[in-house]
Amino acid sequence: MTLTFESLPNEIWLSIFTYLPSRHIWRAFFGINRRLNQLLTSDLIRHTIDLKDISYSEIVELLDERDNNNSHDHRWQAEFVSHAHAICLENKFDYEILIDRWIATKTNWKLSSLRIIYILPEAITSIYIYSLLRELKFTIFLESQLHYLHLVFDDPCYTYHSILSEIVEKRISYPIMILEVTRGHQYQRWERREDLYNIKHPLHWIHTVRLTLSLQHSSELILLFMPAALPLLEHLNVTIEQPRKDLISKRGQSTERFELCEKDLRCTTATATKLRSFVLRQIELDDLLILFNTLSFPLLHTLTLVDIHDKSLDNLLAFQQSVSPTNLPSLKHDQFQFLLRFPAEYEHEWIHRYHNNGWPFDNVSFHVDEHLVEQLSYSSPLDIIEAVFIVYSVPSDILKHMRTVHNYELFTRHSTIIRKDFVCQNMEWLCKWTNNEIQLITSLKTMRNIEALRCFCVGINNQPEIFITPTHANLCHHLRSLTFRFKQHVSYQSSTHYSPLQIILDVSPHLSYLNVRWRDLSHCSGRYPMITHVHLTIYGWERRDFSASRLSILIPKVHYLAIGGEHLIREKQMVDFVLELLIDKAHFRELILLQINKNGNARLKPHVKANTKQAIIEKIDRLQDSTMTQIEFSYHNQLSIWLC
């Protein structure tokens, strides 16, 4: 008997499907026979709508076929959308391609099977700017039978609070709600910011079982534990963004409004008793003690405390008692992770009082580390290196819960005390650049499962003599998104010296998104065809040194190129810069969307916009040849050019 390809067992088909993106599965196999159609539409496969690893030709095909309603291609697209389990929007480009220019053009396409929405910061910015939470296109998602909403924000500032307020006001509640913030406030100072108390509507998320969010102050924890706020909550992950009350008092403000109050907490025990896992980051130790000594957590079996800080060791005895079996009877020994931070001068006192005389937890290690702190002075930001003393549990899984890691010591120690590889979607790395190859390679190896990395380096006087060999080519195997800033520029006179950025690029084979200054990228000597989305920043004198041909060589397959920094506001400036980028057809052959003056806020007169668009079309042949070309000022002086 001859076995045909279509008659393979379901188990083999399911195995084949695991190697392919969802859109490829539907494009290739939908319509072959009824059995395969039933398999594609069953619950055995969870399809995702995204643009990961999509080629230029695929995007062109996707958009060109949108009006061919009678074709097989239209049918598979409609079925794919209606059976999609998840949708992932990584940036503004993804949102405009998938929603504005594809799904939203079809009035009969419904996301009836959608259960997961995952939106990253670039796309979040688009949603906020255009108030899409109030528009029908996004409301359709929110009104579907969602189970998991994951929103990722760059910082806990205005955009985060605005969308949080909208979600609270509309009482949007799903079993899993992740409102993730990838980095804290830029400067170490206290500022009066909107918080949960400023939202006019009470928190009422009745369906939420697992929640991640950021709070400005520890006092807002009270609102999470109110009886009607989160009645089904079992798993909570909270980051306190402005934890230091001493910074409040320095500004002449009363700390009473922002302190965790024991009296108010005693009214909230109904919700607290249901927690089974709790991750708490960046809170003062005295606030932590108030929380655990006031509320009862009889079901809590997993506790992770990250970056808990205090000015002295005086509260450590009370801390030991608050996490003891008497206070937390269900807490599992191997599920208790902590990282405590103190001033560096307390290292010897810790060794004398606690380490040598017995620490009740036998899983502890410690060291003095250097932290990079950015402070705002009267004239300009200052990068301060301060020594801190940290005490942490081992074997450690704490890194996967850390939002910011400083320098190399914790990575180096982590490689020897970790139980298994940790998976982390977002991490910020603040470091002094090193010429210690072992230290650097060990750190990058520890980060191999991070998907999105924000790297901020402070330079040193001597040049880093680091050399990457073929054995290191896949160190950051899972890294897809990189934001890189070198705060103190270092010149590289020798071609044998790799720039810091190039070292990271050379060990990240699957990197697709890069946010970088031209000053740093121009020092790279490699070729990176895997990168398809670039956010380039160019300031002042850097524009004179910018080369479109050089950029095209470095990143030849870019789909989305956004350029910001020093914004162009004159017609001739904008036209000349676009000409430099697009006049040569050999440059950026796969470019789909070009944006100049990214996030620009300068308002232009209507005739300037009209003249600029007309001049660009008249002078660039490749724009005249395409029927899909669109040129628009999408936001103030932000110029967007669609090439397909």
Side-chain angles (χ1 to χ4, degrees):
M1 181 181 70
T2 302
L3 183 65
T4 63
F5 186 64
E6 299 91 67
S7 61
L8 290 173
N10 287 351
E11 291 79 8
I12 295 181
W13 277 110
L14 292 174
S15 179
I16 292 173
F17 292 161
T18 60
Y19 292 92
L20 299 172
S22 294
R23 62 182 182 277
H24 289 177
I25 296 172
W26 281 83
R27 183 70 175 87
F29 300 112
F30 180 78
I32 290 180
N33 58 39
R34 181 177 299 179
R35 183 171 69 90
L36 278 179
N37 287 355
Q38 291 175 343
L39 190 61
L40 287 173
T41 57
S42 71
D43 292 335
L44 296 174
I45 309 175
R46 301 296 174 88
H47 302 290
T48 299
I49 299 176
D50 62 25
L51 293 184
K52 285 185 178 179
D53 303 319
I54 194 169
S55 67
Y56 173 79
S57 59
E58 281 186 90
I59 295 180
V60 173
E61 180 184 22
L62 198 69
L63 299 181
D64 283 347
E65 294 172 351
R66 60 181 178 172
D67 294 324
N68 193 356
N69 293 333
N70 297 321
S71 68
H72 165 267
D73 296 311
H74 173 79
R75 188 181 172 205
W76 82 257
Q77 291 179 12
E79 290 291 334
F80 174 39
V81 171
S82 64
H83 289 91
H85 181 77
I87 186 166
C88 177
L89 304 173
E90 293 195 12
N91 46 53
K92 178 180 173 62
F93 178 80
D94 285 8
Y95 183 87
E96 293 189 356
I97 288 287
L98 292 175
I99 308 303
D100 281 350
R101 310 191 76 194
W102 190 47
I103 295 176
T105 62
K106 305 298 181 182
T107 58
N108 60 332
W109 286 12
K110 296 182 179 179
L111 293 155
S112 54
S113 298
L114 190 67
R115 297 296 180 269
I116 299 173
I117 292 179
Y118 183 44
I119 307 180
L120 274 68
E122 282 276 329
I124 285 285
T125 303
S126 302
I127 291 171
Y128 169 68
I129 288 177
Y130 298 106
S131 301
L132 293 178
L133 276 170
R134 300 180 177 88
E135 289 189 6
L136 177 62
K137 285 177 285 188
F138 199 72
T139 303
I140 290 174
F141 295 164
L142 298 180
E143 290 178 350
S144 62
Q145 300 298 312
L146 280 185
H147 179 80
Y148 189 125
L149 177 64
H150 191 154
L151 306 180
V152 184
F153 300 83
D154 268 332
D155 54 52
C157 300
Y158 188 70
T159 300
Y160 171 78
H161 180 77
S162 298
I163 293 182
L164 175 62
S165 299
E166 193 82 16
I167 294 174
V168 171
E169 178 183 348
K170 294 182 180 296
R171 294 189 173 182
I172 297 171
S173 177
Y174 303 110
I176 300 177
M177 294 182 64
I178 312 295
L179 279 69
E180 179 183 359
V181 177
T182 60
R183 62 185 174 93
H185 296 297
Q186 183 174 3
Y187 303 113
Q188 191 179 85
R189 64 175 183 177
W190 183 83
E191 294 183 17
R192 184 64 180 266
R193 298 188 181 274
E194 300 290 302
D195 59 22
L196 276 181
Y197 285 102
N198 297 114
I199 299 177
K200 297 179 181 179
H201 302 269
L203 185 63
H204 191 60
W205 291 339
I206 60 174
H207 302 299
T208 303
V209 178
R210 184 182 298 271
L211 175 65
T212 295
L213 83 167
S214 284
L215 304 176
Q216 296 296 332
H217 315 101
S218 58
S219 59
E220 296 169 74
L221 286 167
I222 296 171
L223 300 181
L224 302 185
F225 293 129
M226 295 299 289
L230 294 151
L232 300 181
L233 186 66
E234 294 183 2
H235 308 280
L236 180 60
N237 187 321
V238 174
T239 301
I240 308 300
E241 300 294 351
Q242 295 198 98
R244 292 183 54 183
K245 294 188 287 292
D246 62 314
L247 296 179
I248 301 176
S249 58
K250 286 182 179 179
R251 294 290 297 271
Q253 300 284 332
S254 171
T255 61
E256 182 178 356
R257 157 73 170 76
F258 310 103
E259 290 179 332
L260 194 60
C261 177
E262 180 178 344
K263 179 181 178 181
D264 292 338
L265 271 175
R266 293 192 180 280
C267 302
T268 65
T269 55
T271 301
T273 56
K274 296 181 181 179
L275 277 186
R276 297 180 180 274
S277 70
F278 194 6
V279 178
L280 187 55
R281 302 192 300 188
Q282 296 181 189
I283 190 172
E284 290 188 342
L285 185 53
D286 57 351
D287 284 338
L288 178 72
L289 296 177
I290 291 174
L291 180 66
F292 279 94
N293 292 333
T294 304
L295 300 186
S296 174
F297 297 91
L299 303 179
L300 189 68
H301 57 71
T302 301
L303 177 61
T304 304
L305 305 173
V306 184
D307 203 8
I308 311 301
H309 55 278
D310 203 354
K311 296 179 180 179
S312 70
L313 306 180
D314 296 340
N315 286 323
L316 277 182
L317 180 59
F319 170 72
Q320 297 169 21
Q321 295 171 348
S322 68
V323 295
S324 66
T326 303
N327 206 39
L328 299 176
S330 299
L331 183 62
K332 299 178 181 178
H333 180 76
D334 61 344
Q335 296 298 320
F336 175 43
Q337 298 283 315
F338 60 87
L339 187 147
L340 311 178
R341 174 167 55 87
F342 307 95
E345 59 264 26
Y346 285 98
E347 179 187 15
H348 296 295
E349 182 180 343
W350 154 266
I351 295 174
H352 176 72
R353 289 178 57 184
Y354 295 97
H355 186 64
N356 291 342
N357 294 324
W359 173 254
F361 313 110
D362 56 4
N363 57 335
V364 65
S365 185
F366 58 91
H367 69 267
V368 172
D369 208 347
E370 289 185 325
H371 282 197
L372 177 64
V373 179
E374 191 171 27
Q375 295 182 343
L376 189 62
S377 67
Y378 291 104
S379 57
S380 62
L382 295 175
D383 295 318
I384 307 298
I385 304 294
E386 63 178 28
V388 298
F389 174 57
I390 58 176
V391 179
Y392 48 95
S393 54
V394 294
S396 178
D397 286 336
I398 205 74
L399 269 179
K400 68 181 179 182
H401 297 287
M402 295 186 68
R403 185 169 67 185
T404 301
V405 176
H406 296 259
N407 286 307
Y408 311 91
E409 186 69 22
L410 196 58
F411 282 134
T412 304
R413 290 175 178 259
H414 183 278
S415 65
T416 62
I417 62 178
I418 187 63
R419 288 183 288 200
K420 57 184 178 181
D421 289 340
F422 74 97
V423 177
C424 182
Q425 291 179 325
N426 294 283
M427 180 174 286
E428 181 179 60
W429 183 27
L430 306 180
C431 62
K432 292 193 306 182
W433 196 247
T434 180
N435 58 0
N436 185 324
E437 181 176 352
I438 296 177
Q439 193 178 52
L440 175 63
I441 296 302
T442 301
S443 297
L444 292 174
K445 186 176 180 180
T446 307
M447 291 187 282
R448 60 184 172 269
N449 287 331
I450 295 175
E451 294 183 3
L453 177 66
R454 303 174 64 93
C455 179
F456 296 84
C457 292
V458 173
I460 53 179
N461 293 328
N462 57 317
Q463 296 177 353
E465 299 178 356
I466 305 294
F467 303 92
I468 296 298
T469 66
T471 59
H472 299 141
N474 293 307
L475 281 181
C476 298
H477 181 77
H478 292 279
L479 187 62
R480 289 183 173 271
S481 173
L482 172 65
T483 297
F484 183 91
R485 294 290 183 272
F486 205 19
K487 296 193 173 190
Q488 295 178 10
H489 186 55
V490 173
S491 60
Y492 296 90
Q493 304 297 333
S494 171
S495 60
T496 62
H497 291 153
Y498 287 155
S499 73
L501 175 61
Q502 181 171 338
I503 290 175
I504 299 176
L505 293 180
D506 287 348
V507 299
S508 306
H510 300 295
L511 187 71
S512 61
Y513 172 83
L514 177 64
N515 186 326
V516 68
R517 285 185 66 169
W518 172 249
R519 179 193 68 181
D520 298 323
L521 182 61
S522 63
H523 286 289
C524 297
S525 59
R527 189 171 180 271
Y528 308 102
M530 71 283 190
I531 299 175
T532 57
H533 297 65
V534 177
H535 187 168
L536 195 64
T537 302
I538 305 176
Y539 288 112
W541 58 267
E542 297 175 26
R543 194 170 296 280
R544 298 193 300 271
D545 298 331
F546 175 75
S547 168
S549 60
R550 173 77 176 135
L551 177 60
S552 181
I553 293 172
L554 287 167
I555 308 177
K557 295 183 178 294
V558 61
H559 295 165
Y560 168 42
L561 175 59
I563 300 177
E566 184 176 329
H567 294 148
L568 307 176
I569 58 175
R570 297 183 183 277
E571 176 185 332
K572 186 178 186 305
Q573 288 178 318
M574 290 184 283
V575 173
D576 289 348
F577 192 50
V578 173
L579 285 175
E580 182 181 359
L581 291 164
L582 300 182
I583 195 68
D584 191 338
K585 292 184 179 181
H587 296 166
F588 313 116
R589 292 182 177 182
E590 299 191 6
L591 186 63
I592 295 173
L593 175 60
L594 170 66
Q595 289 186 318
I596 305 298
N597 295 329
K598 176 69 174 177
N599 298 329
N601 55 11
R603 297 184 181 273
L604 302 180
K605 294 181 178 180
H607 76 273
V608 174
K609 294 182 178 181
N611 293 341
T612 301
K613 291 191 289 185
Q614 185 64 31
I616 290 173
I617 293 177
E618 290 177 351
K619 296 181 179 182
I620 302 178
D621 293 340
R622 67 197 290 187
L623 299 182
Q624 300 171 9
D625 297 340
S626 174
T627 58
M628 299 292 290
T629 296
Q630 293 183 19
I631 302 179
E632 59 185 20
F633 283 91
S634 51
Y635 183 73
H636 293 324
N637 65 323
Q638 177 176 290
L639 176 62
S640 299
I641 302 176
W642 289 91
L643 285 81
C644 77

